[in-house]
Amino acid sequence: MRLLLVDDETELVSALAERLRLRGIETDFATDGDAAADKVRANAYDLAVLDMKMPGLSGLDLKKKLQRLRPGMRFIFMTGHGSEEDFRAGSAEAAGYLVKPVRIEALIAAVQAALAGGQG
Amino acid sequence: MGMIDRLRPAFWDGATDGGPYRSLFNYRRLWRLSVALLAAVSLTPLCIMTVIDFNVTKRAVNQENINRTTITTSNTRRTLTYFLDERLAALGFAARVQTYENLSTQDHLTALLRDLKAAFGGFMDLGVIGEDGRQVAYVGPYDLLGINYADQAWFKETMASGSYISDIFLGFRNVPHLIIAVRADRPGGGHFLLRASVDTQRINDILAGLDLSGNGDAFLVNREGVLQTVSRSHGTVFERLDIPVPEQADRTEVVETSDAEGGLIVGYASIERTPLVLMVVKRQAELMRPWFAMRLNLMGFLGASVLVILVVILGVATYMVEKIFVADQTRAKTMHQMEHTNRMASIGRLAAGVAHEINNPLAIINEKAGLMQDLIRFSPEPPSPDRLSGLVDSILASVERAGTITKRLLSFARHLEVHIESVSLQKVAEEVLSFLTKEAEYRRIAVEVTADPAVPTIESDRGKLQQILLNLVNNAFQAMDDGGSLRVRIFRPGEAGVAVSVADNGCGIPAADIKRIFEPFFSTKKKKGGTGLGLSITYGLVQELGGTLAVASELGHGSTFTVTFPLDKGDAGAPAARG
């Protein structure tokens, strides 16, 4: 299982990646859309955790872009902003929708559920 | 509480409350204006009609009096003329059917006088005068036989024109009378005169028998203005008349004279073939008495109407202005509540954004703290103090970041009460924009704040300034697509003021809408749940702070809202009520 974390908050993604690695999950992170795309082109990720709102690029747009690069990839949205609209869009588009701050157990459970489920 | 206090309507003392949204009208002026206008349009025609009616009826009554005087004068003249003509004709007839010889005998003349008295009346004596002027026969109460009249004017007149009627005189007998004379032909050639005295009793009776209204008077005068008959109030017989005798008139004439006693109506007409003039004199004041009574009624009616109209006007004007006052007060209260609601709504909107911004540091804290725990739990050896210290620093920095955000929100919410203080427009603008940086970032909207360093602080209400700017910036954000640009400029438009302009490069406002954007409930964002109150509330807030709000917009190229404040005037209540 290989994960990609994308969030504009470096401190957040770096710490989260480290915690996941400590749990034996191979994890990379990127802090903007272009870096994420580069990483997706380079490696085969099973799943990406995307921030819903990033400067200049929304999580939904980034998801579409990455999906084109690597069809079959799964996605989970993670956001600090719990707007109704985002929740509906996020839930419909991705396997999971989590509101920050997220307990790591909940994140891992969502990742496993997403990978187990057929929908992507 | 006095009567005046109880009658005084509530609007008289102006707005009681309604907060900073001042009344739209000056109620007292509105009331005065409506009373004056209503009174003018209702009372002016009434007064004009009254004056016209007054004059018309006066003229009509006067004309009626003149007409009646004319008729009376004319009829009386005809009666008198007939009276004298009848006697002249009788005398002429007698002179024609009797011969000079017959008439010269005393018996015949006596019989003739008796017949004339019986048939016509009024004859007093009868005399026959020869061509030489000597009276050859006479019957009557005086001894006038043999008197020579050759030098008398009436004798010459009669000889010349065939007949003569004198004016009234006393003569030898000291009784007012007049004489009638006719010339007759003698069969053998030559002439003689038949002369009779007529007493004036019959004339007096005719004149006395006239029914004259208005304390009227009818009498005869001669051309010299000497009274020929008794008058009631203009002297007695042979006195000089105290009013001027008019020119000779063949027809009946009526003139009005005005003197101290209220004026006279004088009708006059000459009696044909005599030097006599008939005059009918009436007193205007007496004639107009019925009209005066009518005038009194008219004035009474006018007074009562004016009173009723004024009472109604006062009542209606007071009622209407009171209604406007109440409606205006309600509006002001509603606007005040709306302003509050708008502020609460924007705080709510901000809170949603703030929650997002706080969630990010919270998530960092979550991960850093979790990582510390993980390092202790999963690592075969304890983590180095440096590593832990770095993680704690991150946690502290994130707490600091979240604290800053909550403090900002608190400071924004705190300024709900009106509080005038020295405010820097630049600080307020930066504060407001700090809430929106994240949204700007996400939407790639470039926000640029430029402040002229020469702009001084102003005395104003920080909370309201925040609200104004937040509303304007929010509007600008809504007008723009992602990737737009917002420019906030703080500058001095002149010596007396400072200004903030908020310019976007969004959709712009159609020219047709630009006049309406400050109206309450005008909104083009119907679908997206716009209330249409944002700009009208902003406008109200700017006015409360004594400023002005101007807008320039080009469809498709963006809009610029500019708020200008006076340097040291920002108190909420000071500007006088509009209207």
Side-chain angles (χ1 to χ4, degrees):
Chain A
M1 172 159 66
R2 192 164 187 178
L3 300 187
L4 177 66
L5 306 181
V6 187
D7 196 312
D8 57 317
E9 300 276 358
T10 317
E11 293 211 58
L12 175 69
V13 276
S14 60
L16 187 56
E18 193 173 350
R19 293 184 75 190
L20 289 170
R21 275 188 223 116
L22 280 173
R23 282 168 174 74
I25 300 168
E26 208 179 332
T27 309
D28 289 335
F29 67 87
T31 54
D32 60 66
D34 293 336
D38 289 346
K39 286 230 158 40
V40 167
R41 263 191 285 269
N43 306 301
Y45 294 105
D46 300 302
L47 185 140
V49 179
L50 305 181
D51 189 11
M52 197 72 180
K53 278 195 168 162
M54 283 177 288
L57 185 67
S58 82
L60 291 173
D61 292 338
L62 182 58
K63 181 207 163 206
K64 283 189 191 103
K65 190 172 170 186
L66 297 183
Q67 208 158 30
R68 269 201 302 278
L69 290 172
R70 197 167 289 277
M73 226 172 109
R74 306 291 165 89
F75 295 93
I76 289 177
F77 284 126
M78 200 165 74
T79 181
H81 189 67
S83 88
E84 187 80 5
E85 209 178 313
D86 282 359
F87 180 78
R88 242 180 284 123
S91 306
E93 294 274 333
Y97 184 84
L98 300 167
V99 178
K100 289 181 197 171
V102 185
R103 285 178 54 228
I104 193 145
E105 291 80 14
L107 176 62
I108 292 170
V111 168
Q112 279 163 353
L115 291 177
Q119 202 246 340
Chain B
M1 188 188 267
M3 187 71 178
I4 299 290
D5 285 337
R6 224 168 332 140
L7 278 178
R8 182 189 295 167
F11 68 78
W12 196 251
D13 296 319
T16 47
D17 58 8
Y21 282 95
R22 292 173 303 280
S23 50
L24 292 175
F25 310 102
N26 181 337
Y27 303 103
R28 284 195 208 191
R29 217 183 71 173
L30 194 66
W31 184 82
R32 281 196 208 104
L33 193 70
S34 43
V35 167
L37 265 178
L38 287 173
V41 296
S42 53
L43 293 185
T44 309
L46 187 67
C47 291
I48 290 174
M49 287 305 289
T50 307
V51 169
I52 290 173
D53 189 54
F54 188 85
N55 285 330
V56 165
T57 50
K58 183 178 182 181
R59 208 172 301 143
V61 169
N62 199 25
Q63 194 58 49
E64 170 71 13
N65 287 334
I66 288 173
N67 287 347
R68 281 167 62 178
T69 307
T70 309
I71 291 167
T72 306
T73 310
S74 193
N75 287 348
T76 309
R77 183 196 70 136
R78 209 167 293 130
T79 308
L80 290 176
T81 305
Y82 176 72
F83 174 81
L84 293 174
D85 278 355
E86 193 181 35
R87 266 135 203 88
L88 189 67
L91 207 63
F93 178 72
R96 211 160 300 226
V97 296
Q98 301 280 348
T99 62
Y100 174 70
E101 285 70 27
N102 273 347
L103 289 171
S104 305
T105 62
Q106 199 69 22
D107 291 348
H108 262 96
L109 207 58
T110 308
L112 181 61
L113 180 60
R114 193 188 59 230
D115 289 345
L116 283 172
K117 274 182 173 173
F120 296 96
F123 287 98
M124 289 166 72
D125 61 4
L126 207 54
V128 179
I129 296 140
E131 227 170 354
D132 53 357
R134 205 171 56 82
Q135 182 143 291
V136 293
Y138 173 79
V139 283
Y142 308 103
D143 184 17
L144 301 171
L145 198 63
I147 290 177
N148 196 325
Y149 292 112
D151 293 333
Q152 299 276 331
W154 68 264
F155 177 79
K156 291 174 188 163
E157 173 77 25
T158 314
M159 289 301 284
S161 64
S163 70
Y164 173 78
I165 300 175
S166 77
D167 58 3
I168 296 168
F169 60 100
L170 284 174
F172 298 111
R173 36 201 124 156
N174 221 13
V175 170
H177 68 286
L178 58 81
I179 56 170
I180 300 173
V182 293
R183 188 188 65 191
D185 300 327
R186 290 171 69 168
H191 306 290
F192 72 96
L193 300 186
L194 188 59
R195 170 186 170 278
S197 305
V198 177
D199 74 41
T200 56
Q201 192 52 47
R202 291 285 293 275
I203 292 175
N204 286 339
D205 288 348
I206 289 169
L207 293 176
L210 288 175
D211 179 23
L212 295 171
S213 54
N215 217 358
D217 216 350
F219 49 82
L220 294 172
V221 290
N222 67 10
R223 301 223 177 279
E224 284 74 43
V226 177
L227 277 165
Q228 302 286 286
T229 62
V230 180
S231 79
R232 282 184 202 143
S233 51
H234 296 282
T236 186
V237 185
F238 303 129
E239 282 182 11
R240 189 153 276 280
L241 185 61
D242 53 5
I243 52 177
V245 175
E247 299 282 300
Q248 166 92 32
D250 293 331
R251 298 183 55 231
T252 305
E253 301 275 349
V254 176
V255 294
E256 288 177 79
T257 68
S258 52
D259 61 14
E261 291 161 86
L264 299 172
I265 292 181
V266 181
Y268 61 91
S270 300
I271 311 285
E272 285 169 48
R273 290 178 288 278
T274 72
L276 299 173
V277 177
L278 169 68
M279 291 186 80
V280 175
V281 179
K282 295 180 179 181
R283 291 193 183 282
Q284 292 262 43
E286 290 292 322
L287 292 172
M288 296 306 268
R289 187 165 289 156
W291 179 75
F292 286 136
M294 194 173 80
R295 187 177 66 171
L296 208 64
N297 286 342
L298 202 66
M299 296 309 277
F301 181 76
L302 177 70
S305 308
V306 167
L307 199 69
V308 168
I309 288 170
L310 280 180
V311 166
V312 169
I313 286 173
L314 286 178
V316 168
T318 307
Y319 179 78
M320 298 307 273
V321 174
E322 184 76 13
K323 284 276 172 207
I324 292 172
F325 172 70
V326 170
D328 205 26
Q329 292 285 292
T330 313
R331 181 200 63 89
K333 277 182 200 150
T334 312
M335 286 307 277
H336 190 51
Q337 278 166 8
M338 282 300 191
E339 183 197 326
H340 192 77
T341 311
N342 173 264
R343 189 168 176 80
M344 291 324 262
S346 44
I347 287 173
R349 242 190 345 263
L350 289 179
V354 164
H356 179 222
E357 283 194 66
I358 290 174
N359 273 345
N360 272 328
L362 278 183
I364 294 170
I365 291 167
N366 182 44
E367 300 311 334
K368 295 293 181 190
L371 182 57
M372 279 164 76
Q373 201 184 43
D374 288 353
L375 286 175
I376 293 164
R377 193 187 291 164
F378 294 113
S379 189
E381 59 199 56
S384 70
D386 282 353
R387 184 76 209 274
L388 288 178
S389 172
L391 292 174
V392 170
D393 283 348
S394 279
I395 290 174
L396 291 177
S398 296
V399 168
E400 178 89 30
R401 187 173 143 196
T404 310
I405 295 161
T406 50
K407 275 179 210 136
R408 230 162 42 201
L409 186 65
L410 279 177
S411 114
F412 200 89
R414 203 168 45 230
H415 295 290
L416 283 173
E417 294 301 313
V418 175
H419 177 62
I420 305 299
E421 58 190 315
S422 183
V423 189
S424 154
L425 279 178
Q426 188 184 355
K427 284 232 178 75
V428 174
E430 279 165 359
E431 213 170 80
V432 165
L433 287 168
S434 71
F435 288 106
L436 299 159
T437 42
K438 274 286 161 190
E439 190 184 344
E441 228 172 78
Y442 295 141
R443 292 180 55 190
R444 275 170 294 146
I445 292 172
V447 178
E448 180 195 354
V449 182
T450 52
D452 182 347
V455 172
T457 59
I458 55 169
E459 291 293 315
S460 196
D461 180 73
R462 179 184 288 267
K464 291 191 197 308
L465 283 177
Q466 285 174 341
Q467 189 71 25
I468 291 165
L469 279 172
L470 185 66
N471 285 349
L472 291 180
V473 173
N474 260 332
N475 274 353
F477 268 42
Q478 277 161 11
M480 285 186 292
D481 294 327
D482 289 1
S485 113
L486 178 85
R487 286 190 321 282
V488 178
R489 205 157 74 85
I490 294 146
F491 61 101
R492 293 196 72 168
E495 274 306 302
V498 294
V500 188
S501 71
V502 176
D504 63 60
N505 63 348
C507 58
I509 304 163
D513 286 347
I514 213 147
K515 277 186 214 149
R516 303 185 56 202
I517 55 172
F518 297 125
E519 287 175 19
F521 307 111
F522 176 77
S523 175
T524 52
K525 298 180 293 200
K526 296 259 156 55
K527 282 176 293 190
K528 285 159 82 181
T531 57
L533 283 172
L535 271 178
S536 77
I537 285 169
T538 308
Y539 186 80
L541 286 168
V542 169
Q543 286 213 318
E544 274 178 57
L545 296 181
T548 53
L549 177 55
V551 59
S553 184
E554 197 182 337
L555 198 62
H557 289 87
S559 316
T560 303
F561 285 84
T562 306
V563 192
T564 310
F565 294 108
L567 257 185
D568 52 3
K569 270 205 64 176
D571 52 323
R578 288 168 285 148

